[in-house]
């Protein structure tokens, strides 16, 4: 099974396009394979004959690198040194290195406490029916619902329409809303971000998708100088009700220019709101709120979380308040604070800490600006210890801000210094081992929690 | 297709390496090396040995090989993330390129850059850039340095049809013409930017005209014909070297594979790809010409392929056997 996307761990063998005994040449399509994102055609690299098909059509969950067929070199090819090295699907046991590289990819671990956690939200009425959906679907549904409700809402960005979204978040929207409201742009971030702000000045409610937030750096001037400051500069006459959204933070092995967490960058700026959800229910309820908000809203998603499934309330119009953190789990020994993908880390850490007798309270910030410091402070006054967790760089981070607030407002309650777990202070390296070192992991969270509890 | 549109006749006499002296057989070899290297990279990606994004150059080989033949040592090259071909063409070692793809200490960036970010100061290769369009002002800056030093060198700045819509491209164009900077803008028009065809993204789809409001001349070139590329490259580089300022070459080309390894490429038909492969393949095309003109025999071409496969297999072996970077490398090279 070939790896056909940066985040693929297993795939479905959707269809064989060759049969045993077929002769194939380089470029021939061997099979259709469903990855975590799409159905891909898989081509032969070398000439040869299909020996045995080892995996039946329709088989799901075939691990990357598991042999799916054998190939035999044809006689003419024997002289060529390439004949001994057949294409990827040859059943030679994957080399040790290959195995290692695959294992190094972040496994989408979904800790057990999560389901319970996602269910207990004061905003969701008791007894509400829940449906399980991915974060990707929740975001799509939020946009679709708001577009049905309000004709001024439209979606614009690279590959959002015909391609159905580079990460498939806008799947089906073009079909439902048409090309007037679901608009493919050229690769001109600064231009279409500014165009969106202008349209918002004129009363439309644009949703501008950045393929990833890394590319929004091309557009950051319009986001901050135009969207963020115009209400103030115009003495309140003019506003920009616009949502800028897309995946933020490192994905997997995509290197320094494509792996950056912009949480603290945008959280720094007055005049905008910043949302960074983890659970599908929050993604949905907060994106709907963002679209209705009269202010510019930065909506930070996470590529690795798109495929994670969580319960989402089955309500006709589920809108959550912006600016409220949520206590995901109550505890008494230490407060763990995170947002976005790192909520998964603190949930996992809490499970392990519990087995060692440390009862952690978990806070999902959900919104980074305005930051719900009240919820954080209330927790710290109870637990007397706090660890913040994020993927961003340590200097001027979300954790730095929280540490400062806690030191100012809850100094007398602290039994240990507020502690940050962050990404390392370097550009993201590509190599699997270095990338792993650069990112915060569950073990780092556990170590920090134990340190503030003076345990080892 | 090599329709010379507004091509200037530079009249400049090509000299040294930047002339017609490289044999067609060598060009064949250089293109095939890229093809086989990319096929191997795709295979290693499928095995999980290469991670993240990996953009293959298969189909576009004639562009970079033709241009390279027209360059002189000292001319600089800069491009985007679809960069393996550019590195091999400018003489970077396939072993170290492949080792970067697998993220090993022996790679050109010590494993820290990956497929999209490789550099070679020695070979005047300036990367390897992941932000669409960003390399265009950078390449213009290389040309600025050439002019500042009056060293007679030319910057060859590559970018895609999609990148051609980025605003910074035009900011660079204006300065380049205003200050008569020696830069050849090579627009690799492979007709798609990810899933978006040029017709769906561009008000002016004749990219060679994109410099017209800055008075930068442009020419459209059959980017599937390595000889046509070299001819156009010689003229364009000559134009720059003689102090006439920037010039645009629009290379009409095609990528056979998806945008990156994870692109299902549903935005075009299988027939479209097959038609180009069968009728316009730059390597097949030149191979047939070599045989027809008796410049090489069928056996010669087979021998070239055999040698290349050996080089590529050795590179793959080297790249999978090299160690990962030492952990201490996490903190090196951040600052001087
Ligand atoms: C500023 C920016 N926006 C978007 C992207 C995502 N992206 C990467 S490649 C690409 C398409 C570029 O197409 P083109 O310039 O034609 O080059 P090609 O891939 O065809 O070589 C896009 C949209 C990016 N890397 N940088
Ligand atoms: Mg293109």
């Amino acid at each position: 099974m070939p790896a056909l996307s940066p985040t693929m761990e297993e795939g479905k063998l959707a269809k064989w396009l060759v049969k045993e005994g077929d002769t194939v040449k380089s470029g021939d399509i061997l099979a259709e394979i469903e990855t975590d994102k799409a159905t891909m055609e898989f081509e032969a690299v070398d000439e040869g004959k299909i020996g045995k098909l080892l995996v039946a059509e329709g088989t799901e969950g075939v691990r990357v690198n598991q042999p799916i067929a054998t190939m035999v070199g044809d006689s003419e090819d024997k002289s060529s040194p390439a004949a001994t090295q057949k294409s990827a699907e040859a059943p030679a046991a994957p080399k040790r290195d290959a195995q290692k590289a695959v294992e190094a990819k972040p496994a989408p671990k979904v800790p057990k406490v999560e389901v319970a956690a996602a269910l207990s939200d004061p905003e969701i009425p008791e007894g509400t029916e829940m449906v399980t959906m991915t974060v990707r679907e929740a975001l799509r549904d939020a946009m679709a619902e708001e577009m049905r409700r309000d004709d001024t809402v439209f979606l614009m960005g690279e590959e959002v329409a015909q391609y159905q979204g580079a990460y498939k978040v806008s799947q089906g929207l073009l079909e439902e809303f048409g090309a007037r409201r679901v608009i493919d742009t050229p690769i001109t971030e600064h231009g279409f971000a500014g165009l969106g702000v202008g349209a918002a000045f004129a009363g439309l409610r644009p949703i501008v998708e950045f393929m990833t937030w890394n590319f929004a750096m091309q557009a950051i001037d319009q986001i901050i100088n135009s969207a963020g400051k115009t209400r103030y500069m115009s003495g309140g006459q003019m506003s920009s009700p616009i949502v800028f959204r897309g995946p933020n933070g490192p994905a997997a092995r995509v290197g320094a220019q494509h792996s950056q967490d912009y949480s603290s960058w945008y959280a720094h700026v007055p005049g905008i709101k910043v949302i960074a959800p983890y659970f599908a229910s929050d993604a949905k309820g907060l994106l709907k709120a963002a679209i209705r908000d009269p202010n510019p809203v930065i909506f930070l998603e996470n590529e690795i979380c798109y495929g994670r499934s969580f319960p989402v309330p089955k309500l006709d119009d589920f809108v959550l308040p912006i600016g409220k953190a949520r206590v995901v789990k109550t505890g008494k020994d230490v407060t763990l604070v995170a947002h976005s993908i790192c909520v998964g880390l603190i949930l996992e850490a809490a499970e392990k800490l519990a087995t060692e007798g440390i009862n952690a309270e978990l806070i999902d910030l959900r919104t980074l600006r305005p930051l719900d410091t009240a919820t954080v402070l209330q927790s710290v006054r109870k637990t007397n210890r706090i660890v913040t967790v994020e993927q961003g760089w340590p200097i001027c981070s979300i954790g730095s801000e929280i540490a400062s607030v806690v030191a100012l407002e809850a100094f007398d309650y602290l039994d240990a210094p507020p502690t940050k777990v962050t990404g390392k202070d370097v550009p993201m390296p590509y190599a699997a081992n270095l990338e792993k070192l650069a990112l915060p992991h569950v073990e780092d969270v556990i170590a920090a929690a134990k340190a503030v509890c003076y345990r080892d | 297709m090599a329709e010379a549109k507004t091509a200037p006749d530079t009249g400049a006499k090509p000299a040294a390496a930047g002339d017609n002296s490289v044999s067609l057989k060598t060009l064949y070899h250089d293109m095939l090396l890229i093809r086989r290297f990319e096929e191997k990279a795709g295979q290693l990606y499928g095995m999980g040995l290469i991670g993240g994004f990996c953009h293959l150059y298969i189909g576009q080989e004639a562009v970079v090989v033709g241009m390279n033949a027209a360059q002189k040592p000292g001319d600089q090259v800069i491009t985007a993330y679809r960069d393996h071909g550019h590195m091999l063409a400018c003489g970077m070692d396939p072993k170290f390129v492949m080792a970067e793809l697998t993220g090993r200490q022996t790679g050109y960036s010590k494993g820290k850059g990956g497929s999209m970010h490789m550099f070679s100061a020695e070979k005047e290769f300036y990367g390897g850039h992941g932000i669409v369009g960003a390399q265009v002002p950078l390449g213009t800056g290389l040309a600025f340095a050439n002019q500042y030093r009056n060293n007679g060198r030319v910057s060859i700045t590559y970018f895609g049809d999609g990148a051609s819509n980025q605003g910074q491209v035009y900011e660079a164009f204006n300065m380049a013409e205003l200050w008569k900077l020696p830069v050849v803008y090579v627009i690799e028009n492979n007709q798609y930017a990810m899933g978006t065809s040029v017709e769906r993204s561009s008000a002016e789809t004749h990219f060679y005209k994109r410099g017209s409001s800055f008075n930068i001349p442009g020419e459209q070139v059959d980017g599937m014909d390595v000889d046509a590329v070299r001819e156009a490259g010689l003229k364009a580089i000559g134009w720059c070297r003689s102090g006439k300022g920037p010039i645009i070459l629009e290379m009409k080309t095609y990528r056979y594979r998806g945008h990156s390894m994870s692109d299902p490429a549903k935005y075009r038909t299988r027939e479209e790809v097959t038609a180009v492969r069968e009728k316009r393949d730059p390597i097949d095309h030149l191979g047939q010409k070599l045989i027809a003109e008796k410049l090489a025999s069928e056996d010669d071409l087979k021998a070239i392929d055999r040698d290349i496969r050996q080089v590529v297999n050795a590179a793959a072996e080297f790249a999978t056997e090299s160690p990962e970077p030492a952990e201490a490398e996490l903190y090196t090279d951040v600052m001087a």
Side-chain angles (χ1 to χ4, degrees):
Chain A
M1 174 62 55
L4 295 171
S5 93
T7 46
M8 175 174 172
E9 315 242 322
E10 54 178 42
K12 173 180 174 184
L13 210 155
K15 198 168 172 197
W16 277 113
L17 297 168
V18 290
K19 19 181 227 320
E20 294 179 0
D22 280 0
T23 308
V24 296
K25 58 178 190 332
S26 142
D28 287 353
I29 306 164
L30 301 177
E32 278 180 11
I33 286 165
E34 266 176 50
T35 72
D36 50 338
K37 292 199 191 77
T39 304
M40 306 279 296
E41 290 171 342
F42 176 49
E43 294 177 1
V45 178
D46 290 318
E47 264 106 1
K49 207 181 209 160
I50 304 293
K52 256 190 132 38
L53 301 183
L54 302 169
V55 172
E57 210 168 273
T59 310
E60 300 198 31
V62 184
R63 301 290 304 171
V64 163
N65 260 333
Q66 182 183 328
I68 56 173
T70 58
M71 255 175 96
V72 282
D74 58 23
S75 52
E76 202 208 323
D77 227 355
K78 282 273 153 57
S79 59
S80 131
T84 52
Q85 260 226 323
K86 278 299 157 196
S87 48
E89 76 277 26
K95 281 191 198 147
R96 197 189 55 84
D97 282 342
Q99 206 59 39
K100 212 167 93 197
V102 169
E103 280 163 8
K105 290 184 179 178
K109 286 190 212 106
V110 181
K112 275 177 264 136
V113 282
E114 281 191 10
V115 176
L119 278 166
S120 60
D121 191 317
E123 303 294 331
I124 303 172
E126 203 74 41
T128 302
E129 191 193 332
M130 302 298 274
V131 286
T132 300
M133 65 169 72
T134 60
V135 171
R136 177 183 279 120
E137 290 161 342
L139 292 166
R140 192 260 325 272
D141 287 358
M143 289 192 281
E145 285 177 23
E146 293 307 296
M147 289 176 77
R148 277 174 216 135
R149 187 179 159 270
D150 180 354
D151 183 64
T152 64
V153 178
F154 68 96
L155 173 66
M156 186 170 73
E158 291 158 24
E159 310 288 357
V160 299
Q162 286 195 14
Y163 199 80
Q164 308 284 313
Y167 298 100
K168 298 288 170 277
V169 175
S170 53
Q171 194 130 35
L173 295 184
L174 174 67
E175 287 66 29
E176 180 174 352
F177 299 101
R180 173 176 166 260
R181 300 181 66 194
V182 184
I183 303 156
D184 278 326
T185 62
I187 311 169
T188 54
E189 288 84 4
H190 201 195
F192 67 72
L195 188 151
V197 177
F201 285 173
L204 299 184
R205 287 185 176 266
I207 306 169
V208 170
E209 174 176 312
F210 292 115
M211 190 173 284
T212 78
W213 276 95
N214 302 289
F215 315 141
M217 280 223 271
Q218 299 285 314
I220 200 165
D221 176 71
Q222 292 288 11
I223 297 171
I224 292 170
N225 268 326
S226 304
K229 299 179 183 172
T230 297
R231 180 183 296 275
Y232 194 77
M233 296 187 301
S234 67
Q237 294 176 70
M238 212 150 274
S239 64
S240 346
I242 185 168
V243 176
F244 297 104
R245 50 156 289 272
N248 171 59
R253 307 285 311 278
V254 292
Q257 292 186 330
H258 283 71
S259 311
Q260 207 166 306
D261 177 1
Y262 291 90
S263 300
S264 67
W265 291 56
Y266 291 105
H268 185 65
V269 181
I272 60 179
K273 294 185 179 180
V274 184
I275 298 171
Y278 175 67
F279 296 102
S281 51
D282 292 330
K284 183 168 183 193
L286 287 168
L287 183 53
K288 280 166 68 80
I291 294 167
R292 290 184 200 182
D293 200 277
N295 300 291
V297 180
I298 305 294
F299 202 89
L300 305 172
E301 300 157 11
N302 185 283
E303 186 195 331
I304 291 168
C305 295
Y306 279 148
R308 294 190 187 174
S309 294
F310 301 101
V312 173
K314 200 173 171 199
L315 294 169
D316 285 342
D317 196 21
F318 175 58
V319 185
L320 285 170
I322 296 172
K324 281 219 169 102
R326 182 158 60 102
V327 178
V328 175
K329 170 190 169 301
T330 53
K332 60 176 180 45
D333 299 326
V334 57
T335 300
L336 305 182
V337 180
H339 62 277
S340 189
I341 191 171
C342 289
V343 174
L345 285 189
I346 60 171
L347 282 161
E348 218 182 314
E351 252 180 63
K352 302 220 172 100
L353 288 167
T355 66
E356 301 188 38
I358 296 177
N359 183 3
E361 178 147 305
L362 308 183
I363 295 178
D364 176 358
L365 291 171
R366 300 196 289 189
T367 301
L368 302 176
R369 176 181 271 269
L371 191 61
D372 183 0
T373 51
T375 298
V376 175
L377 288 167
Q378 195 181 4
S379 176
V380 176
R381 289 187 182 118
K382 179 172 74 175
T383 64
N384 315 112
R385 301 155 208 277
I386 182 165
V387 174
T388 59
V389 186
E390 66 196 300
Q391 289 186 322
W393 290 311
I395 314 297
C396 302
S397 64
I398 299 295
S400 307
E401 176 61 20
I402 290 176
S404 135
V405 169
V406 166
L408 275 167
E409 315 255 341
F411 188 75
D412 292 338
Y413 293 86
L414 286 174
D415 286 343
T419 297
K420 301 189 287 184
V421 174
T422 66
K424 300 294 192 305
D425 197 17
V426 297
M428 184 63 73
Y430 164 75
N433 65 331
L434 297 186
E435 184 185 62
K436 198 161 176 222
L437 286 173
L439 288 167
H441 297 280
V442 176
E443 300 72 50
D444 306 314
V445 180
I446 293 171
K450 283 185 177 172
V452 296
C453 292
Y454 305 108
R455 297 261 304 261
D456 44 32
Chain B
M1 202 168 59
E3 331 156 49
K5 295 274 158 70
T6 54
D9 184 6
T10 63
K13 259 238 149 10
D19 57 25
N20 256 322
S21 64
V22 180
S23 78
L24 288 176
K25 211 161 134 187
T26 303
L27 299 183
Y28 181 88
H29 170 276
D30 293 355
M31 290 197 290
L32 194 61
L33 173 65
I34 296 173
R35 173 77 48 101
R36 296 285 177 250
F37 181 94
E38 293 293 66
E39 286 168 354
K40 182 59 78 183
Q43 192 176 337
L44 296 186
Y45 192 95
M47 295 167 77
L49 285 159
I50 296 173
F53 292 132
C54 182
H55 309 84
L56 302 183
Y57 196 61
I58 297 179
Q60 301 180 213
E61 297 90 343
V63 176
V64 82
V65 170
M67 283 305 297
N68 184 68
Q71 285 159 224
K72 277 195 205 176
D75 292 344
Q76 305 112 327
V77 171
I78 188 165
T79 187
Y81 44 82
R82 197 179 300 287
D83 54 356
H84 313 161
H86 301 69
M87 295 185 281
L88 297 179
C90 71
M92 288 168 67
D93 189 323
K95 285 208 300 287
F96 306 140
V97 177
M98 198 66 98
E100 188 60 38
L101 296 184
T102 54
R104 305 304 166 98
Q105 178 82 46
T106 50
Y108 270 104
S109 302
K110 304 180 195 163
K112 296 197 272 192
S115 163
M116 299 190 285
H117 310 300
M118 262 179 265
F119 305 80
S120 167
E122 185 206 338
K123 302 284 182 196
E124 301 282 349
F125 180 71
Y126 286 84
H129 299 268
I131 301 302
V132 167
Q135 77 276 21
V136 181
L138 300 176
T140 309
L142 297 172
F144 181 89
N146 293 340
Q147 192 193 57
Y148 193 86
R149 294 205 172 97
N150 195 20
N151 62 12
R153 297 179 182 193
V154 175
S155 157
I156 317 294
T157 299
Y158 290 87
F159 53 105
D161 46 282
S164 301
N165 293 319
Q166 283 286 38
Q168 55 181 321
V169 170
Y170 299 91
E171 301 182 20
F173 277 6
N174 185 46
M175 289 183 282
E177 179 64 29
L178 188 64
W179 300 327
K180 298 277 183 224
L181 304 180
V183 48
V184 181
Y185 295 112
V186 182
I187 303 181
E188 299 199 60
N189 178 5
N190 60 11
Q191 297 164 56
Y192 293 91
M194 215 167 257
T196 306
S197 65
V198 295
E199 293 76 22
R200 298 206 302 116
S201 69
S202 300
E204 172 55 85
T205 57
H206 293 107
F207 293 95
Y208 71 93
K209 291 184 187 164
R210 287 293 184 99
S212 57
S213 43
F214 308 95
N215 300 320
I216 302 177
E219 182 186 353
Q220 192 178 70
V221 184
D222 180 357
M224 304 300 269
D225 178 345
V226 70
D227 215 13
V229 172
R230 172 166 60 183
E231 281 311 313
L234 283 171
K235 271 200 287 180
I237 292 172
W239 170 270
C240 292
R241 236 191 279 285
S242 63
K244 297 198 175 77
I247 185 165
I248 295 169
L249 295 179
E250 175 192 357
M251 301 289 178
K252 292 278 274 192
T253 181
Y254 200 78
R255 73 166 150 72
Y256 295 177
R257 297 295 187 94
H259 166 73
S260 66
M261 290 304 296
S262 51
D263 171 21
K266 296 290 182 216
Y267 42 81
R268 59 185 189 188
T269 62
R270 195 69 215 161
E271 291 71 50
E272 180 183 314
V273 184
T274 313
V276 179
R277 275 185 118 124
E278 284 174 1
K279 298 198 192 92
R280 292 178 56 207
D281 187 79
I283 299 172
D284 287 352
H285 183 251
L286 181 58
Q288 283 153 14
K289 182 169 161 169
L290 286 172
I291 291 170
E293 295 180 9
K294 303 223 172 347
L295 295 169
S297 69
E298 195 102 40
D299 280 345
D300 291 342
L301 300 189
K302 273 206 176 129
I304 292 177
D305 194 14
R306 214 165 33 237
D307 291 349
I308 286 174
R309 281 180 190 271
Q310 228 149 20
V311 168
V312 167
N313 286 337
E317 210 162 291
F318 177 81
T320 49
E321 280 166 8
S322 291
E324 289 188 308
E327 296 198 346
E329 293 287 3
L330 185 62
Y331 291 103
T332 60
D333 307 316
V334 179
M335 305 260 285

Coordinates of all heavy atoms in Angstrom, one line a residue, chain A residues 201 224-238:
Chain A
F201 N -16.8 45.8 3.8 CA -17.1 47.2 4.0 C -18.5 47.5 3.4 O -19.3 48.2 3.9 CB -16.1 48.1 3.3 CG -14.7 48.2 3.9 CD1 -13.7 48.9 3.3 CD2 -14.5 47.7 5.2 CE1 -12.5 49.0 3.9 CE2 -13.2 47.8 5.8 CZ -12.2 48.5 5.1
I224 N -4.8 42.9 9.0 CA -4.6 43.7 10.2 C -4.8 45.1 9.9 O -5.6 45.8 10.6 CB -3.1 43.4 10.8 CG1 -3.1 42.0 11.3 CG2 -2.8 44.5 11.9 CD1 -1.7 41.5 11.7
N225 N -4.2 45.7 8.9 CA -4.3 47.1 8.6 C -5.7 47.5 8.1 O -6.2 48.6 8.5 CB -3.3 47.6 7.6 CG -2.0 48.1 8.4 OD1 -2.1 48.6 9.5 ND2 -0.9 47.9 7.8
S226 N -6.3 46.7 7.3 CA -7.6 47.0 6.7 C -8.8 46.4 7.5 O -9.6 47.2 8.0 CB -7.7 46.6 5.2 OG -6.6 47.1 4.5
A227 N -8.8 45.1 7.7 CA -9.9 44.5 8.4 C -9.9 44.9 9.8 O -10.9 45.3 10.4 CB -9.9 43.0 8.2
G228 N -8.7 44.8 10.5 CA -8.6 45.0 11.9 C -8.8 46.4 12.4 O -9.2 46.6 13.5
K229 N -8.4 47.4 11.6 CA -8.4 48.8 12.1 C -9.4 49.7 11.6 O -9.5 50.9 12.1 CB -7.0 49.4 11.8 CG -5.8 48.6 12.5 CD -4.5 49.1 12.1 CE -3.4 48.3 12.7 NZ -2.0 48.7 12.2
T230 N -10.2 49.3 10.6 CA -11.1 50.3 10.0 C -12.2 50.8 10.9 O -12.6 51.9 10.8 CB -11.6 49.7 8.6 OG1 -10.4 49.5 7.8 CG2 -12.5 50.6 7.9
R231 N -12.8 49.9 11.7 CA -13.9 50.3 12.5 C -13.3 51.5 13.4 O -14.0 52.5 13.5 CB -14.3 49.2 13.4 CG -15.5 49.6 14.4 CD -15.9 48.5 15.3 NE -16.5 47.4 14.6 CZ -17.8 47.3 14.2 NH1 -18.6 48.2 14.5 NH2 -18.2 46.2 13.6
Y232 N -12.2 51.3 14.0 CA -11.6 52.3 14.8 C -11.3 53.6 14.1 O -11.7 54.7 14.5 CB -10.3 51.7 15.5 CG -9.8 52.5 16.7 CD1 -10.4 52.4 17.9 CD2 -8.7 53.4 16.5 CE1 -9.9 53.1 19.0 CE2 -8.2 54.1 17.6 CZ -8.8 54.0 18.8 OH -8.4 54.7 19.9
M233 N -10.6 53.4 12.9 CA -10.2 54.6 12.2 C -11.3 55.4 11.6 O -11.2 56.6 11.3 CB -9.3 54.2 11.0 CG -8.0 53.5 11.4 SD -6.8 53.2 10.0 CE -7.8 52.2 9.0
S234 N -12.5 54.7 11.4 CA -13.6 55.4 10.9 C -14.6 55.9 12.0 O -15.7 56.3 11.7 CB -14.4 54.5 9.9 OG -15.0 53.4 10.6
G235 N -14.1 55.8 13.2 CA -15.0 56.3 14.3 C -16.2 55.4 14.4 O -17.3 56.0 14.7
G236 N -16.1 54.2 14.0 CA -17.3 53.3 14.1 C -18.2 53.3 13.0 O -19.2 52.5 13.0
Q237 N -17.9 54.0 11.9 CA -18.9 54.1 10.8 C -18.8 52.8 9.9 O -19.8 52.4 9.3 CB -18.5 55.2 9.8 CG -18.6 56.6 10.3 CD -18.1 57.5 9.3 OE1 -18.7 57.7 8.2 NE2 -17.0 58.1 9.5
M238 N -17.6 52.2 9.9 CA -17.4 51.2 8.9 C -17.0 49.9 9.6 O -16.2 49.9 10.5 CB -16.3 51.6 7.9 CG -16.5 51.0 6.6 SD -15.9 52.2 5.4 CE -17.3 53.3 5.1

